[in-house]
Structure formats: structure tokens, C-alpha cells
Amino acid sequence: MSLVVQKYGGTSVGSIEKIKNVAKRIAKYYKEGHKLVVVVSAMGDTTDDLIEMAEKINPNPEPREMDFLLSSGERISAALTAMALQNLGIPAIALSGKQAGIITDNIHTKANILKIEPKRILEELEKGRVVIVAGFQGYELQKGDVTTLGRGGSDATAVALAAVLKADICEIYTDVDGIFTADPRIVPNAKKLDFISYEEMLEMAGQGAQVMQLRSVDLAATYKVPVIVRSSFNENSGTLIGEGKEVETKQKVKGIAHNKNIAKVTIVGVPDKPGIAHKIFAPLGERAINVDDIVQNVSKDGITDLSFTVPEKELQKTIEAIQEVVKEIGAKEINYDNNVGKVSIVGWGIQSTPGIAAKMFGILASAGINIEMITTSEIKITCIIRRDLVEKAVRALHDGFNLGGEE
Ligand code: ADP
Ligand code: ASP
Ligand code: MG
């Protein structure tokens, strides 16, 4: 008998009909004799709708109350999914993140899972029940308050539970057939991959492919959880995310990722001295702001410019956080630009293969796209460009590197 953790995303449980269908799928696995822990997201756009409501009431809501509010979305779908199963005669129980024993730090709205105490889950499994866990949430130990795990956080709930329960597999059910060479909503002939390594998926997710939350991939890689991403609407086999490289092929570029929700911050006139970068980035770290794509220009007369990107919704917080230090170190000013986006090519061996970077820049140039910043890692090259050109860039690179399948 195998233990399987399944996660159904928002679209998959987006209506009463869809919840009933998900329940039928779960019932089928249950009857095959698997032990099942099922993580569900909030129905459809519930989380977005709740955020909108909160911001209409208070433009700057307290993160604690935000978590209190947002965690309710997943409780609704967990309860309804359990009821749908019970209606099919399958024993099931819905648990909140807290009841499932998910303990986090107290960084409200983007808490990290610290530990899971799965006693209750194990007891319920022992009784032969399907355990439905409300995704995206846990609780912190100081006050026992509910926390949420950042957007897309139900993926993290599922992978973390799979790791702790030593599940045979973690299945992420979503609205596409698996991981594609690019977002299929933007590139119609994007090809589904059968396999992608943890490292490549980390870069894809880190550079914006929202199909898997970045932290969940990190957890999967750390605890070597085999993950399958597949559709909840058909029986296709999906994509395995796992260890190791595929047999070396000539094609190094595995996929194109993009992100339109970033902003670029530039600190102008930074004195080029030891310790300055630390001074600038420490306050951002303390506020748990995700800084990415840091580029420092060559200094001239002991003065340099420093640019980096942050999620657009954290731009205001970022500027507030660095205002003091910028004065203190004697830098000239802070500029920001929230009309930027980024596009990345991802794949093993990209950095060590001569010509790939040149080819990327050539493709973008031919498409008339200006590159404003470039960052690289061992398995990715990222270009910051105008936001309205991001989709064009994704399609041009996908074509240029011949990643497409049949249309
Ligand atoms: P869920 O609600 O199931 O968690 P998400 O909306 O978070 O689903 O993620 C699925 C979406 O991710 C797809 O509809 C697709 O548009 C998008 N996506 C972006 N990049 C990729 C990619 N490389 N492969 C597959 N899907 C991708
Ligand atoms: N409902 C949450 C969100 O929309 C978590 C999730 O779907 O994974 O971000
Ligand atoms: Mg998601």
C-alpha cells in the first residue's frame, strides 16, 4: 500500500461541480488501496477576491488579520471536498493547517514551515480516512496565530507533508498537463516536459513560472521528494520533477521563464567601500523582502550604482526600508522603475556552453528588444527588459531556441 500526497490547485476546485469531480478522482485512488493525504487550495479566485476586499476596507491591512482572512479560503474547499467524499461513501476528514500540525515562523503572509507534527494525520490515516488538509497555512508557536505561506503556498503544504510522511509520491494537480517549455498561456506551441531536474525547476520557478511555488521546489529538492505535476482534468502522465540530469542532449535550453511582477530599484552614487552592500541589503533581509538580480556597475572615482529587482508589490516597503541607509552611506538617490519585467532561459550547462548567451541576446535584438540588465547563474541567463515586451521576448526565445512541439 502506498502513501500518496495529492494537491489540487484553485482552478481544479473552482466550483461545486469541480469539487465533485475531484472527489471522484480521490475516491478512485482510495479504492485502489492507497493511503491519501489531499491538500486543497482555495476555490478559483477566492484568495484574490479576499485580498481585494481587505484592501477596499483598509489599504494597509495588518498582516496578522490578512492571514486570518486568507486562510479561510482553503478551509472552505477542504470542508467541501471532505463532504463530497463522504457523500460518495468514502471516509474523509478535513483538517486546518493547525490541526494538521504545520508549525511556521511568525512572518505573517509569507511564513516558512519550521516543523510538522503529523500525529493527527497519522491517526486519521490509521482509521482508514482520506485526510483533506487546508493548504497554504500553518500556525506560529508564540501566540498560536494562523499564518499563511505566501502566494501559491499550497504547493509547499503538499511537498512538506510528503517529506514528513515519507510519501511515495507528491502529485500536484493543476490546470495544465505538466511543466512546459514556457507558459502555455503565452506560447501556444510550448511542449510538455516528461522530466525536469530539481535544479532546473528551481530556476524556472525562481524566474517566474508560477506553476510551482518556488519554496515548494526548494523543499522538494532538499528532502528529495519526487513530485509529479499533472492535470486534474485528464489522465495524462504529467511531468516528473526529480534528481539528476537527463541524458546529455545538444539542446541546453530547457525552458523559458518570465515575470512581469517585478520592479527595479537603483541606488545612484554609492561609495565603493567594503561593507556597503551589507548595509543596504540587511534591512531588506530583516523585512523578508526577496531581492533578486543584483547588479553593481564598475565604479568610477570610488562611486558606483547598484541595481536590483524586487517583487513589484514590495516596492514601497523596499524604498522605505533603505531610505535611512542610503542617507547614512552618503549615496546620491534612489530611483525605481516599475515598468520592467524579466525573461530567462533555463537549462543545465547554459553558462558553460559558449554561444548560448550571444544567441539569446541576438534573438532579443532581432525582435527589437533592448536589454537593461543581465544576470546569470550556472543554469540560467536572465534579462531585464520593458514589461510590455516580455511576452514578445518569451515567444521569440522559444522559437529561436526551437523549443516548440506541434501546434
Ligand atoms: P494552481 O491553481 O493549480 O496552483 P497555478 O495558476 O498556480 O495553478 O499554476 C498553473 C499555471 O502556471 C498554468 O495555468 C500556466 O499558465 C502557468 N505556467 C507558467 N509557466 C508555466 C510552465 N513553464 N509550465 C506550465 N505552466 C506554467
Ligand atoms: N490560495 C493561495 C493563493 O492563491 C494558495 C494556493 O493557491 O496555493 O495563492
Ligand atoms: Mg499555484
Side-chain angles (χ1 to χ4, degrees):
M1 188 192 277
S2 62
L3 172 60
V4 178
V5 173
Q6 297 186 334
K7 176 251 168 180
Y8 291 90
T11 316
S12 306
V13 293
S15 66
I16 297 295
E17 261 337 288
K18 285 182 176 158
I19 290 181
K20 285 184 179 170
N21 275 332
V22 162
K24 279 188 206 147
R25 290 184 82 108
I26 300 170
K28 194 180 115 223
Y29 293 110
Y30 180 81
K31 286 178 185 155
E32 284 169 8
H34 302 294
K35 284 191 172 184
L36 285 166
V37 174
V38 177
V39 175
V40 286
S41 288
M43 293 172 71
D45 295 330
T46 303
T47 309
D48 289 327
D49 296 344
L50 291 172
I51 293 173
E52 210 183 301
M53 267 197 266
E55 286 172 352
K56 274 187 190 150
I57 284 184
N58 179 342
N60 227 338
E62 278 297 324
R64 180 192 176 278
E65 272 59 44
M66 253 343 237
D67 279 352
F68 198 89
L69 177 71
L70 297 189
S71 58
S72 66
E74 269 69 9
R75 290 178 69 129
I76 294 174
S77 42
L80 293 176
T81 307
M83 288 175 193
L85 279 164
Q86 291 156 357
N87 194 47
L88 297 174
I90 308 287
I93 183 164
L95 299 179
S96 68
K98 188 169 184 173
Q99 289 169 321
I102 298 172
I103 299 166
T104 71
D105 58 21
N106 59 3
I107 306 176
H108 282 289
T109 76
K110 44 181 180 179
N112 294 291
I113 297 175
L114 297 177
K115 195 177 159 199
I116 297 184
E117 288 172 348
K119 187 167 167 278
R120 178 76 186 272
I121 294 182
L122 292 170
E123 281 167 13
E124 300 296 346
L125 285 175
E126 209 41 53
K127 288 179 193 155
R129 290 180 174 149
V130 177
V131 181
I132 314 288
V133 178
F136 177 54
Q137 56 186 280
Y139 72 109
E140 48 83 44
L141 287 176
Q142 258 172 356
K143 305 225 170 68
D145 285 343
V146 64
T147 54
T148 65
L149 309 176
R151 296 307 305 266
S154 298
D155 295 333
T157 306
V159 174
L161 283 173
V164 166
L165 298 168
K166 301 198 169 42
D168 296 276
I169 190 90
C170 179
E171 295 179 325
I172 304 287
Y173 285 93
T174 184
D175 57 0
V176 285
D177 280 5
I179 309 296
F180 283 71
T181 46
D183 187 341
R185 280 189 225 175
I186 291 180
V187 182
N189 71 334
K191 209 162 90 187
K192 196 212 76 178
L193 302 167
D194 293 328
F195 173 82
I196 187 166
S197 64
Y198 292 125
E199 292 82 353
E200 288 168 319
M201 194 61 222
L202 268 174
E203 290 288 14
M204 287 291 281
Q207 297 315 312
Q210 111 245 29
V211 57
M212 281 286 285
Q213 191 211 27
L214 175 60
R215 264 194 209 155
S216 74
V217 187
D218 213 349
L219 284 168
T222 305
Y223 296 100
K224 307 278 174 265
V225 178
V227 175
I228 289 179
V229 178
R230 54 191 296 202
S231 168
S232 66
F233 302 119
N234 60 45
E235 297 295 329
N236 297 349
S237 58
T239 303
L240 172 67
I241 307 174
E243 253 184 307
K245 304 175 200 181
E246 255 176 323
V247 186
E248 206 54 45
T249 52
K250 240 181 121 204
Q251 176 64 275
K252 303 278 181 193
V253 180
K254 188 116 191 187
I256 315 288
H258 72 280
N259 190 344
K260 292 201 284 188
N261 304 315
I262 59 163
K264 183 172 82 170
V265 178
T266 303
I267 308 176
V268 183
V270 178
D272 194 7
K273 286 192 300 216
I276 294 283
H278 170 72
K279 276 207 171 117
I280 292 172
F281 291 112
L284 300 176
E286 281 158 20
R287 288 165 182 78
I289 295 171
N290 266 335
V291 179
D292 210 354
D293 307 308
I294 304 170
V295 172
Q296 181 176 326
N297 286 342
V298 178
S299 71
K300 203 167 163 249
D301 304 327
I303 301 284
T304 182
D305 294 345
L306 185 73
S307 295
F308 55 90
T309 60
V310 290
E312 192 187 9
K313 63 175 183 351
E314 296 189 322
L315 178 60
Q316 194 56 36
K317 213 164 113 187
T318 301
I319 292 172
E320 282 164 18
I322 57 176
Q323 240 151 13
E324 275 303 300
V325 234
V326 163
K327 261 193 237 148
E328 188 193 313
I329 60 175
K332 205 165 139 229
E333 59 183 357
I334 308 171
N335 291 336
Y336 68 86
D337 183 346
N338 53 1
N339 277 309
V340 292
K342 60 178 165 178
V343 61
S344 309
I345 58 173
V346 174
W348 277 111
I350 277 185
Q351 205 185 38
S352 53
T353 311
I356 290 198
K359 185 168 174 183
M360 179 184 193
F361 306 150
I363 293 168
L364 293 177
S366 306
I369 296 166
N370 184 44
I371 303 168
E372 300 179 23
M373 240 164 92
I374 300 166
T375 58
T376 62
S377 81
E378 214 178 312
I379 54 174
K380 72 129 206 277
I381 303 173
T382 297
C383 295
I384 311 292
I385 58 177
R386 286 294 97 197
R387 186 175 294 170
D388 57 359
L389 295 176
V390 167
E391 293 191 9
K392 186 178 179 190
V394 173
R395 284 190 281 265
L397 290 168
H398 197 268
D399 274 357
F401 282 104
N402 272 323
L403 296 179
E406 280 148 37
E407 227 158 315

